[in-house]
Amino acid sequence: MELDLTPKTAQPFFEGDGGGYYTWLSSQVPLLAKTNVCAGQFVLHPRGFAFPHYADSSKVGYVIE
């Protein structure tokens, strides 16, 4: 299996005053579709506020400062 490991830019899913959520589409990164995994980036601006989010799917998150 040949993998394309070139960096892809995330597409904006939501942008607001407090920050934004960006996601990589499975059409851009076919490996995501094959492995049934989603990828996203949550950006919170200084003094931004995020509402709690509840979903029926499990999530793993990393906080990078």
Side-chain angles (χ1 to χ4, degrees), residues 32-60:
L32 294 176
K34 290 180 185 177
T35 57
N36 200 22
V37 172
C38 296
Q41 178 183 22
F42 179 66
V43 177
L44 190 61
H45 296 278
R47 300 190 191 269
F49 181 77
F51 287 104
H53 173 75
Y54 302 98
D56 59 354
S57 61
S58 58
K59 293 179 177 57
V60 176

